[in-house]
Structure formats: structure tokens, C-alpha cells
Amino acid sequence: MQVRAGAGPRPQHARMDLPARDDDMHHQDEPGMTEACFLGPYGENDTLLEKLVVEFLRDHVYWRRNFHPEDPPPIPTSAAQRAGYQRMEARMRRELHQLSAALKRSVPFHSPRYIGHMVSDLLLPGLAAQILTLPYNPNNVSEDAAPVTADMEVQVGLQLARMFGYRHDPSRPDCAFGHLASGGTSANLQALRLALALKAFPVALRAARVPGLALPDDDHAAFNLAPAAGIVLLQDWQDWLAGLEPEARRHWQQRVQAQRLEQLGLAGFLQAHPELQVPVVLAPATAHYSWSKGMKLLGLGRAQLRAVPQHDMRMDAAALAEMLDDCARRRQPVLMVVGVLGTTEYGSIDPLDRICDARDAAAGRGLGTAVHVDAAWGGYLASLFRDPDGNLRSRDEVAAGFQAFPSPGVHAAFAALSRCDSITVDPHKLGYLPYGAGAFVCRDHRAMPLLAEGADYVFHSEGPADYLRHYRSLGRYTIEGSKPGAAAAAAFVTHRVLPLDHAGLGRLQAHSIRAAEAFHAAAERFSGAVSDICRATVPFAPDSNLVCLALNPAGNRELAVASAFVRELHRGLNSDPSQPLQVREYFGSVTTLHLDGLDHEDRKRIVDRLGLDPPAGEGDACLVILRHTLMNPYLIDHENGISYIHGYFEHLTTRVRALADAR
Ligand SMILES: *Cc1c(COP(=O)(O)O)cnc(C)c1O
């Protein structure tokens, strides 16, 4: 098969660098299935989307008319002939035209030439569901305002729970629970809130001197219960309350309420319990900056966000175990340990299995803490690890069709998701849905009443109907108040059309992993091809579908010069609203590698491979590198025999040669 690089207006015929389209490679693909999923780089599926939008817009209009058909239309049929109406329409058109013209300067996320940030084309089922729902304008703050889509949001939580291996049957008392949020930032904040509420509640029970409950001996023990033990205590308290007469129940509820952290505030709570130290959060240095935001919002500070050492951009689990030991010795409470499943810069995956082991060991030493997974980026990759019937797939099963994915460590991390206390995942990233859709999922929903606004946190579930009825008042639990029901509809419909297993949405995730593997191999070849003028290396072997590339012009030994070189390269790869879009051949992104945050081995490897001098001082330890997100489903275009990955590296070679000549 002849393959050309997707660069330049003239087709350049280049040797094939893409995996052959053999049956083995595509054994999971039903022919045509992926083709119907997106509007497409060329807008190939415009007729399909148009049909859907028009059909369901009409359907919406009939719904309006059928509400009370006896009501006459208050806007007269002749209105369109009036001068004011026409002026209004003209104004609307003028402004919309300008908007549409301005939007042409947008970043072409849909194109396989776009490999910059964590975004790509939108899934048609989600886009159509969102457009369909918008004119109904449901507000998922409560079922009053969203009789249909609030349920869907709770169902989305259960769909995600199933993908992660959580209990997702609402008739079980310890079923998981999840809801949507504006994004991963807000979902991470929700995880912090829940962990803090669960930690502080047993202390409040003690302070209120609730009789008849097996309470921990002192505040320190109460504040450091493991999350599961905290939930048991919360259940015991609710059972005890349920057995009281209404007046006594109110009395005890108020008494406990008065002692809760949510009543006193963090400062007041700690003041009332001088034995307790301010809790810390342990997160890898690779953690997203939403963690710093979350700490501040919680009334904690960045000083309480402690960096766990890492190796190869993955959390060092042995170092975490040591930190936890040290905290236990110093009676330092740990609010939570954050593991990252798909870091924002490298897509690397923390060893969640070993993180959970460390958590369990610490709990045995009296230092209970939660493990939260920030899977805002990598969460949907879990679909690759799930069978349609909900079982976890073995490493060999997952690995069929890939070069190296998943490494045994990566498989173990995904298998351990079900042991983690809560998870953030972004439908607006690898879920290919429109922005405004993050999700928070916790393993055991019984902790959620602690977040509820309003005093009533007695929650006795008698089964699925109860579970649904309760969580329809989503706004009582979420950070957001009014929230778009259309986003819930989009996620729900998408997860139904493409179930969250390897045969459903997993097929798209597989495309992205295969593209990343092809990209990694092409990067190695590129490194050889330009070795006369430049040293290039992939600094960390990718775990998933993000691949970075560090470059240094030959002969240079200074970090700052290498960074300036990459910044200059990136000037040809970024979005530049002052120029026509078509001037850009490809879009990439950059990130800064902080060498002083690396362990000795990583630092030495990278500096040596690039031929750089080791950084002298703190300030100059930064290296700007290229970063690529391989999530576009058409990076390898079998239809036309084009590899945009190949094209990208041809383009990069040309640019690197031109820049090196100019030096
Ligand atoms: C993107 C991302 C976030 C933040 O999510 P938003 O949806 O942008 O708020 C948090 N953590 C990780 C690992 C991410 O990749």
C-alpha cells in the first residue's frame, strides 16, 4: 500500500510507516462503526448530523405544540412581516454572522493535524444528544427542574462505576455513586470535600458524646479512621438515630451538627480539637494544578500539599510508604493520597495497586487515609480493561492488537481502580464529549450524605428506587448549583451507544493507543534521521497516549538554548489568531520539564541523551519540550493510506533543519 504524509498541498508519497490494515489489527472493529462516530475531519457525516438535528428539533417543536394545543399562538403568523421583527432578525443575523466568522479562527481540534491539547472531534451521539436536549434546558440541580436528565446523570455515575469495577447495583447498600461536574478541577475538589467530611465526622460524634456507639478512644484515632471504618460508623449512627423518637432524634442531630467541621469551619474545628494536626494531602509532583486550587478552596494551603517522589514520571510507591510511615510516627493526619491515572503532561500511570497497598498498611498502623485517583485524562482507558459482561480482562487479552500496551504495571494499576476510594474522570477529554463535563465517582455512596446541604443526613436506602429518588436532588451534593442537564444527556446517550467496555468506547481508546505507539516508534526514527543536526529523545516511555519529545541542537550544551530552540519550533505549531489557519501544517503543544523534580537517574539519562550539561542552579533546571496528545481517531487514515504521524515528523524534520541552518 502506498502511503503519503499528510503534509502540504501536494501529495508527497512516502514509505509506509503505519501498521498494515490487516484483519488482526482491526479484529475488534465492525466495519463502518468508527466511521459513523464523528462529524469527521472533512465533515463527512454532515448529512447524518443534519438529519438528526433537524429531526429532533422538529420533534421538540411538536412537543411544545402538544402541551396545550388549545392555546392559540401568541406570536402572530403575520409578525414576520413587521418592520421591528425584520430589524431584529437582521441584527441577529449580523451578529451571528460575525460570530461564525470569528469562530473560523478557532483551533481545528477535529483535524488529525491537531495533536496539541487533550481534545479532538466530538462523538456524534453525544453532540446530537446535547443539541437535542438544549431547547428543553433541563437544570440538573434537582428533579423539579430536570425530571428526565437528573436520573440520567445518576445513571452516568453508575455507568462509570461499572467501568472502574465499583459496585454499581443500586439495590446494594454499598453501591457506588457518581455525578457530573464542570470538569476535572471541580471533581477533584469534590473528592477533597468528601474525604475531609468523612475524616472529621467521627470526631464530631465524639465531641457530641453520642451514647451507644462504639466510638474511637481519642480524637486522633477518630480523625484517622480508614474511610471504610468511617462509613461503618456513619451507618451505625444513622441506625441509632432511626431508633429514636422524633424529638430525641432532632436533639441528637442538632448536637452532632454543632460539632461538625462543616458547622465550625476548618479553623474552628481544629481549634476545638488541639490534639489534631492540620491534615496533609500526598500527591505526586506530576499532579495537575487543580490540586493546588482545591487545597486553597478547602482552607488548606499549598504547604499541606506534599509531593511524593517519582521515578520515570510515575509515583514511587516505596517512597509513599515511607512518607506514610513517617506521618504515622509524627501523628500527622493524611487527608488523602492522590494517584494519577494518565498525567496531564506524559499520560503516565501511577502504580495504584501499590498505592492501595501502602494505604492499607498505614491503616493497620492507625493512619487511615483515602486514595483518590485523578483519572481526568486516563479514566476512559479503563474501558479497554472491561469485558462487555463487566469482567476485568487479563493483561494478555488487553494486549492483543498493541505493541507494548499495557505494561504489567499499567494493567495492575487499572485492575486496582476498584480498590480506590474515589475517582475523577473527564467525559470532555477521552470521552470525546463537549466541554463542561467532568465526573466524580466514589466507591461507596454511603459517605455522600455528609456532603448534603440541609440537616437531613439520615439516609436509609430500601433499594434502587430509593437510591434514585435520593440522588435526584443532585444540587444538595454537588459543588455546582444549576448544572446543564444537556451534558448529562450527552454522556448517558454516548455510554449507551458506545458501552464502556473494550468492544464499545474501548475501540476508540484502542485507536489512540495504537496511534501513540506508532508515534513513539516514529519519534525514535526521527531521532536517528536528524542526528547530524539535533539530538531528540522521548524523555519517558509513554504508558498511554501522550508522547513528549525533547530536542537539543547539535553542539549545544545549555538548557536555556535547547528550550529556546523548542519554543521556536513550537511557534510554528501553535495557534496564532493573527494568521490564517491554513498557514499551519500541524498543531502541537509544549510543556516544561523540571529537571530538579526528577530523581538522579532520570535527570542523568535525559541530560546525557540530549548532550546537555547538568543544570547548575535551581533556576535554570527547566527544559521546554514538545508534547503530543494522540487522540484523534484519524491519525492513521487507512482509507487514503495517509499517516498524519508520518507527515508530522516530515514537517518537524524540515523545520528542525531550517532552524539548525539558521543557527
Ligand atoms: C485535565 C486534568 C484535570 C483538570 O480537569 P478540567 O476538566 O480541565 O478541570 C485534572 N487532572 C488531570 C490529570 C487532568 O488531565
Side-chain angles (χ1 to χ4, degrees), residues 567-632:
R567 251 189 241 108
E568 188 55 38
L569 261 183
H570 180 243
R571 258 189 280 284
L573 296 167
N574 60 2
S575 87
D576 177 358
S578 71
Q579 287 194 347
L581 200 57
Q582 289 75 6
V583 170
R584 284 281 174 276
E585 294 283 348
Y586 287 90
F587 286 79
S589 61
V590 285
T591 184
T592 305
L593 175 57
H594 296 277
L595 291 166
D596 46 0
L598 302 181
D599 66 13
H600 175 75
E601 205 181 308
D602 285 343
R603 188 164 45 221
K604 183 164 172 11
R605 185 190 70 238
I606 290 167
V607 160
D608 285 354
R609 274 202 217 155
L610 292 172
L612 291 166
D613 287 331
E618 287 269 306
D620 18 70
C622 292
L623 180 65
V624 177
I625 61 177
L626 294 176
R627 167 178 171 267
H628 312 93
T629 306
L630 288 312
M631 69 180 283
N632 188 287

Coordinates of all heavy atoms in Angstrom, one line a residue, residues 567-632:
R567 N 11.0 26.3 21.8 CA 10.0 27.3 21.8 C 9.8 27.8 20.4 O 8.7 28.1 19.9 CB 10.3 28.4 22.7 CG 9.4 28.4 23.9 CD 9.6 29.7 24.8 NE 10.0 29.2 26.1 CZ 11.2 29.4 26.7 NH1 12.2 30.0 26.0 NH2 11.5 29.0 27.8
E568 N 11.0 28.0 19.7 CA 10.9 28.5 18.3 C 10.2 27.5 17.4 O 9.4 27.8 16.6 CB 12.4 28.7 17.8 CG 12.5 29.4 16.5 CD 11.7 30.7 16.4 OE1 11.7 31.5 17.4 OE2 11.1 31.0 15.3
L569 N 10.5 26.2 17.6 CA 9.8 25.2 16.8 C 8.3 25.2 17.1 O 7.5 25.1 16.1 CB 10.3 23.8 17.3 CG 11.4 23.0 16.6 CD1 11.5 21.6 17.2 CD2 11.0 22.8 15.1
H570 N 8.0 25.4 18.3 CA 6.6 25.4 18.7 C 5.8 26.6 18.1 O 4.6 26.6 17.9 CB 6.4 25.4 20.2 CG 5.0 25.4 20.7 ND1 4.4 26.4 21.4 CD2 4.0 24.5 20.4 CE1 3.1 26.1 21.6 NE2 2.8 25.0 21.0
R571 N 6.6 27.7 17.8 CA 5.9 28.9 17.2 C 5.3 28.5 15.9 O 4.4 29.2 15.4 CB 6.9 30.1 17.1 CG 6.7 31.1 18.2 CD 7.5 32.4 17.9 NE 8.9 32.2 18.3 CZ 9.3 32.2 19.6 NH1 8.4 32.4 20.6 NH2 10.6 32.0 19.9
G572 N 5.8 27.5 15.3 CA 5.2 27.0 14.0 C 4.1 26.0 14.2 O 3.5 25.5 13.3
L573 N 3.9 25.6 15.5 CA 2.9 24.6 15.8 C 1.8 25.0 16.7 O 0.9 24.2 17.0 CB 3.6 23.4 16.5 CG 4.7 22.7 15.7 CD1 5.5 21.8 16.7 CD2 4.1 21.8 14.6
N574 N 1.8 26.3 17.0 CA 0.7 26.7 18.0 C -0.4 27.5 17.2 O -0.2 27.7 16.0 CB 1.3 27.6 19.1 CG 2.0 28.8 18.5 OD1 1.9 29.1 17.3 ND2 2.6 29.6 19.4
S575 N -1.4 27.8 17.9 CA -2.5 28.5 17.2 C -2.1 30.0 17.3 O -1.7 30.5 18.3 CB -3.8 28.3 17.9 OG -4.1 29.1 19.0
D576 N -2.3 30.7 16.2 CA -1.9 32.1 16.0 C -3.0 32.8 15.3 O -3.2 32.8 14.1 CB -0.6 32.2 15.2 CG -0.2 33.6 15.0 OD1 -0.9 34.5 15.4 OD2 0.9 33.8 14.3
P577 N -3.9 33.5 16.2 CA -5.1 34.1 15.6 C -4.8 35.2 14.6 O -5.7 35.6 13.9 CB -5.8 34.7 16.8 CG -5.0 34.4 18.0 CD -3.8 33.7 17.6
S578 N -3.6 35.7 14.5 CA -3.2 36.8 13.6 C -3.0 36.3 12.2 O -2.8 37.0 11.3 CB -2.0 37.6 14.1 OG -0.9 36.8 14.0
Q579 N -2.9 34.9 12.1 CA -2.6 34.4 10.7 C -3.8 33.5 10.3 O -4.5 32.9 11.1 CB -1.4 33.5 10.8 CG -0.1 34.4 11.0 CD 1.1 33.6 10.7 OE1 1.1 32.3 10.7 NE2 2.2 34.2 10.5
P580 N -3.9 33.3 9.0 CA -4.9 32.3 8.5 C -4.6 30.9 9.1 O -3.4 30.6 9.1 CB -4.8 32.4 7.0 CG -3.9 33.4 6.7 CD -3.2 33.9 7.9
L581 N -5.6 30.2 9.4 CA -5.5 28.9 10.0 C -4.6 28.0 9.1 O -3.8 27.2 9.5 CB -6.9 28.3 10.1 CG -7.1 27.2 11.1 CD1 -6.7 27.6 12.5 CD2 -8.6 26.9 11.1
Q582 N -4.9 28.2 7.8 CA -4.3 27.2 6.8 C -2.7 27.3 6.7 O -2.1 26.4 6.2 CB -4.9 27.4 5.4 CG -6.3 27.0 5.3 CD -7.3 28.0 5.9 OE1 -6.9 29.0 6.4 NE2 -8.6 27.6 6.0
V583 N -2.2 28.4 7.3 CA -0.7 28.6 7.3 C -0.1 27.4 8.1 O 1.0 27.0 7.8 CB -0.4 29.9 7.9 CG1 1.1 30.1 8.1 CG2 -0.8 31.0 6.9
R584 N -0.8 27.0 9.1 CA -0.3 25.9 10.0 C -0.4 24.6 9.3 O -1.5 24.2 8.9 CB -1.1 25.9 11.3 CG -0.7 27.0 12.2 CD 0.6 26.7 13.0 NE 1.0 27.9 13.8 CZ 1.7 28.9 13.3 NH1 2.0 29.0 12.1 NH2 2.0 29.9 14.1
E585 N 0.7 23.8 9.4 CA 0.6 22.5 8.9 C 0.1 21.5 10.0 O -0.7 20.6 9.7 CB 2.0 22.0 8.4 CG 2.6 22.8 7.2 CD 2.0 22.3 5.9 OE1 1.3 21.2 5.9 OE2 2.2 23.0 4.9
Y586 N 0.7 21.7 11.2 CA 0.3 20.8 12.3 C 0.2 21.7 13.6 O 0.8 22.7 13.7 CB 1.4 19.8 12.4 CG 1.3 18.7 11.4 CD1 2.1 18.9 10.2 CD2 0.5 17.6 11.5 CE1 2.0 17.9 9.2 CE2 0.4 16.7 10.5 CZ 1.2 16.8 9.3 OH 1.1 15.9 8.3
F587 N -0.5 21.1 14.5 CA -0.6 21.7 15.8 C 0.0 20.8 16.9 O -0.5 19.6 17.0 CB -2.0 22.1 16.2 CG -2.6 23.2 15.4 CD1 -3.0 23.1 14.1 CD2 -2.7 24.5 16.0 CE1 -3.5 24.2 13.4 CE2 -3.2 25.6 15.3 CZ -3.6 25.4 14.0
G588 N 0.9 21.3 17.7 CA 1.4 20.5 18.9 C 1.3 21.4 20.1 O 0.8 22.5 20.0
S589 N 1.8 20.9 21.2 CA 1.8 21.8 22.4 C 3.2 21.6 23.1 O 4.0 20.8 22.6 CB 0.7 21.4 23.4 OG 0.8 20.1 23.8
V590 N 3.5 22.4 24.0 CA 4.7 22.3 24.8 C 4.5 22.2 26.2 O 3.4 22.5 26.7 CB 5.7 23.5 24.6 CG1 6.3 23.6 23.2 CG2 5.0 24.8 24.9
T591 N 5.4 21.7 26.9 CA 5.4 21.6 28.4 C 6.8 21.9 28.9 O 7.8 21.8 28.2 CB 4.8 20.3 28.9 OG1 4.7 20.4 30.3 CG2 5.7 19.1 28.6
T592 N 6.9 22.1 30.2 CA 8.2 22.4 30.8 C 8.5 21.2 31.7 O 7.8 20.8 32.6 CB 8.2 23.7 31.6 OG1 7.7 24.7 30.8 CG2 9.6 24.0 32.2
L593 N 9.7 20.6 31.4 CA 10.2 19.5 32.2 C 11.1 20.1 33.3 O 12.1 20.8 33.0 CB 11.0 18.6 31.3 CG 11.7 17.4 32.0 CD1 10.8 16.6 32.8 CD2 12.4 16.6 31.0
H594 N 10.7 19.9 34.6 CA 11.5 20.5 35.7 C 12.5 19.4 36.1 O 12.2 18.5 36.8 CB 10.6 20.9 36.9 CG 9.7 22.0 36.5 ND1 10.1 23.3 36.5 CD2 8.4 22.0 36.0 CE1 9.0 24.1 36.1 NE2 8.0 23.3 35.8
L595 N 13.7 19.6 35.7 CA 14.8 18.6 35.9 C 15.1 18.4 37.4 O 15.4 17.3 37.9 CB 16.1 19.0 35.2 CG 15.9 18.9 33.7 CD1 17.1 19.6 33.0 CD2 15.9 17.4 33.2
D596 N 14.9 19.5 38.2 CA 15.2 19.4 39.6 C 14.1 18.6 40.3 O 14.4 18.1 41.5 CB 15.4 20.8 40.3 CG 14.3 21.8 39.9 OD1 13.4 21.4 39.1 OD2 14.4 22.9 40.4
G597 N 13.0 18.3 39.7 CA 12.0 17.5 40.3 C 12.2 16.0 40.0 O 11.5 15.1 40.5
L598 N 13.2 15.7 39.2 CA 13.5 14.3 38.8 C 14.5 13.6 39.7 O 15.3 14.3 40.3 CB 14.0 14.2 37.4 CG 13.2 14.9 36.3 CD1 13.9 14.7 34.9 CD2 11.8 14.3 36.2
D599 N 14.4 12.3 39.8 CA 15.4 11.7 40.6 C 16.7 11.6 39.7 O 16.7 11.9 38.5 CB 15.0 10.3 41.0 CG 14.8 9.3 39.9 OD1 15.3 9.6 38.8 OD2 14.2 8.2 40.1
H600 N 17.8 11.3 40.4 CA 19.1 11.4 39.8 C 19.2 10.6 38.5 O 19.7 11.1 37.4 CB 20.2 10.9 40.8 CG 21.6 10.9 40.2 ND1 22.3 12.0 40.0 CD2 22.3 9.8 39.7 CE1 23.5 11.7 39.4 NE2 23.5 10.3 39.3
E601 N 18.7 9.4 38.5 CA 18.8 8.5 37.3 C 18.0 9.1 36.1 O 18.6 9.2 35.0 CB 18.1 7.2 37.7 CG 18.5 6.0 37.0 CD 17.7 4.8 37.5 OE1 17.7 4.6 38.7 OE2 17.1 4.1 36.7
D602 N 16.8 9.6 36.3 CA 16.0 10.2 35.2 C 16.8 11.4 34.7 O 16.9 11.6 33.5 CB 14.7 10.6 35.7 CG 13.7 9.4 35.9 OD1 14.0 8.4 35.4 OD2 12.7 9.6 36.6
R603 N 17.2 12.3 35.6 CA 17.9 13.5 35.2 C 19.1 13.2 34.3 O 19.3 13.8 33.3 CB 18.2 14.3 36.4 CG 18.7 15.7 36.1 CD 18.7 16.6 37.3 NE 19.3 16.0 38.4 CZ 18.8 16.0 39.7 NH1 17.7 16.7 39.9 NH2 19.3 15.4 40.7
K604 N 19.9 12.2 34.8 CA 21.1 11.9 34.1 C 20.8 11.3 32.7 O 21.5 11.7 31.7 CB 22.0 10.9 35.0 CG 23.3 10.5 34.3 CD 24.2 9.9 35.4 CE 25.5 9.3 34.8 NZ 25.8 9.7 33.4
R605 N 19.9 10.5 32.7 CA 19.5 9.8 31.4 C 19.1 10.9 30.4 O 19.6 10.9 29.2 CB 18.3 8.9 31.6 CG 18.0 8.1 30.3 CD 16.7 7.3 30.5 NE 15.6 8.2 30.5 CZ 14.7 8.2 31.5 NH1 14.8 7.5 32.5 NH2 13.6 9.1 31.4
I606 N 18.3 11.8 30.8 CA 17.8 12.8 29.8 C 18.9 13.8 29.4 O 19.1 14.1 28.2 CB 16.6 13.6 30.4 CG1 15.4 12.6 30.5 CG2 16.2 14.8 29.6 CD1 14.3 13.0 31.4
V607 N 19.6 14.3 30.4 CA 20.7 15.2 30.1 C 21.8 14.5 29.2 O 22.2 15.1 28.2 CB 21.3 15.7 31.4 CG1 22.7 16.2 31.3 CG2 20.4 16.7 32.1
D608 N 22.1 13.3 29.5 CA 23.1 12.6 28.6 C 22.6 12.4 27.2 O 23.3 12.6 26.3 CB 23.4 11.2 29.3 CG 24.3 11.4 30.5 OD1 24.8 12.5 30.8 OD2 24.6 10.4 31.2
R609 N 21.4 11.9 27.1 CA 20.9 11.6 25.7 C 20.8 12.9 24.9 O 20.9 12.8 23.7 CB 19.5 11.1 25.8 CG 19.5 9.6 26.0 CD 18.1 9.0 25.6 NE 17.7 7.9 26.5 CZ 16.5 7.6 26.6 NH1 15.5 8.2 26.0 NH2 16.2 6.6 27.4
L610 N 20.6 14.0 25.5 CA 20.5 15.3 24.8 C 21.8 16.0 24.6 O 21.9 17.0 23.9 CB 19.5 16.2 25.4 CG 18.0 15.8 25.4 CD1 17.1 16.7 26.2 CD2 17.5 15.8 24.0
G611 N 22.8 15.5 25.3 CA 24.1 16.1 25.3 C 24.2 17.5 26.0 O 24.8 18.4 25.5
L612 N 23.4 17.6 27.0 CA 23.4 18.8 27.8 C 24.2 18.8 29.0 O 24.5 17.7 29.6 CB 21.9 19.1 28.2 CG 20.9 19.5 27.1 CD1 19.5 19.4 27.6 CD2 21.2 20.9 26.6
D613 N 24.7 19.9 29.5 CA 25.4 20.0 30.8 C 24.3 19.8 31.9 O 23.2 20.4 31.7 CB 26.1 21.3 31.0 CG 27.3 21.4 30.1 OD1 27.9 20.3 29.8 OD2 27.7 22.5 29.7
P614 N 24.6 19.2 33.0 CA 23.7 19.1 34.1 C 23.4 20.5 34.6 O 24.3 21.3 34.6 CB 24.4 18.3 35.1 CG 25.6 17.7 34.5 CD 25.9 18.5 33.3
P615 N 22.1 20.7 35.0 CA 21.8 22.1 35.4 C 22.6 22.5 36.6 O 22.9 21.7 37.5 CB 20.3 22.0 35.8 CG 20.0 20.5 35.9 CD 21.0 19.8 35.1
A616 N 23.1 23.8 36.6 CA 23.9 24.3 37.6 C 23.1 24.7 38.9 O 23.3 24.1 39.9 CB 24.7 25.5 37.1
G617 N 22.2 25.6 38.7 CA 21.4 26.0 39.9 C 19.9 25.7 39.7 O 19.5 25.1 38.7
E618 N 19.2 26.0 40.7 CA 17.7 25.7 40.7 C 17.0 26.4 39.5 O 16.3 25.7 38.8 CB 17.1 26.3 42.0 CG 17.4 25.5 43.2 CD 16.4 24.4 43.5 OE1 15.2 24.7 43.6 OE2 16.8 23.2 43.6
G619 N 17.3 27.6 39.3 CA 16.6 28.5 38.4 C 16.7 27.9 36.9 O 15.7 28.0 36.2
D620 N 17.8 27.4 36.5 CA 17.9 27.0 35.1 C 17.7 25.5 34.9 O 18.2 24.9 34.0 CB 19.3 27.4 34.6 CG 20.3 27.7 35.6 OD1 20.8 26.7 36.3 OD2 20.7 28.8 35.8
A621 N 16.9 24.9 35.8 CA 16.7 23.5 35.7 C 15.5 23.1 34.8 O 14.9 22.0 34.9 CB 16.6 22.8 37.0
C622 N 15.0 24.1 34.0 CA 13.8 23.9 33.2 C 14.2 23.6 31.8 O 15.0 24.2 31.2 CB 12.9 25.1 33.2 SG 12.2 25.4 34.8
L623 N 13.4 22.6 31.2 CA 13.6 22.3 29.8 C 12.3 22.3 29.1 O 11.4 21.5 29.5 CB 14.3 20.9 29.7 CG 14.6 20.5 28.2 CD1 15.6 21.4 27.6 CD2 15.1 19.0 28.2
V624 N 12.1 23.1 28.1 CA 10.9 23.1 27.3 C 10.9 22.0 26.3 O 11.9 21.8 25.6 CB 10.7 24.5 26.6 CG1 9.4 24.5 25.8 CG2 10.6 25.6 27.6
I625 N 9.9 21.2 26.3 CA 9.8 20.1 25.3 C 8.5 20.1 24.6 O 7.5 20.7 25.0 CB 10.0 18.7 26.1 CG1 8.9 18.5 27.1 CG2 11.4 18.7 26.8 CD1 9.0 17.2 27.9
L626 N 8.4 19.3 23.5 CA 7.2 19.2 22.7 C 6.3 18.1 23.4 O 6.8 17.1 23.9 CB 7.4 18.8 21.3 CG 8.2 19.9 20.4 CD1 8.5 19.3 19.0 CD2 7.4 21.2 20.3
R627 N 5.0 18.4 23.3 CA 4.0 17.4 23.9 C 2.9 17.1 22.9 O 2.4 18.1 22.3 CB 3.4 18.1 25.2 CG 2.2 17.4 25.8 CD 1.8 18.2 27.0 NE 0.6 17.8 27.6 CZ -0.6 18.4 27.3 NH1 -0.7 19.3 26.5 NH2 -1.7 17.9 27.9
H628 N 2.6 15.9 22.8 CA 1.6 15.5 21.7 C 0.5 14.6 22.3 O 0.8 13.6 23.0 CB 2.3 14.7 20.6 CG 3.6 15.4 20.1 ND1 4.8 15.2 20.6 CD2 3.7 16.4 19.2 CE1 5.7 15.9 20.0 NE2 5.1 16.7 19.2
T629 N -0.7 15.0 22.1 CA -1.9 14.2 22.5 C -2.4 13.4 21.3 O -2.8 14.0 20.3 CB -3.0 15.1 23.0 OG1 -2.4 16.0 24.0 CG2 -4.1 14.4 23.7
L630 N -2.3 12.1 21.4 CA -2.7 11.3 20.2 C -4.1 10.8 20.4 O -4.3 9.6 20.6 CB -1.7 10.1 20.0 CG -0.3 10.4 19.6 CD1 -0.3 11.3 18.3 CD2 0.6 11.0 20.6
M631 N -5.1 11.6 20.3 CA -6.5 11.1 20.5 C -7.4 11.3 19.3 O -8.5 10.8 19.2 CB -7.1 11.7 21.7 CG -7.5 13.2 21.7 SD -8.2 13.8 23.2 CE -9.9 13.2 23.0
N632 N -6.9 11.9 18.2 CA -7.7 12.0 17.0 C -7.8 10.6 16.4 O -6.9 9.9 16.2 CB -7.1 13.0 16.0 CG -8.1 13.2 14.9 OD1 -8.3 12.4 14.0 ND2 -8.7 14.4 14.9

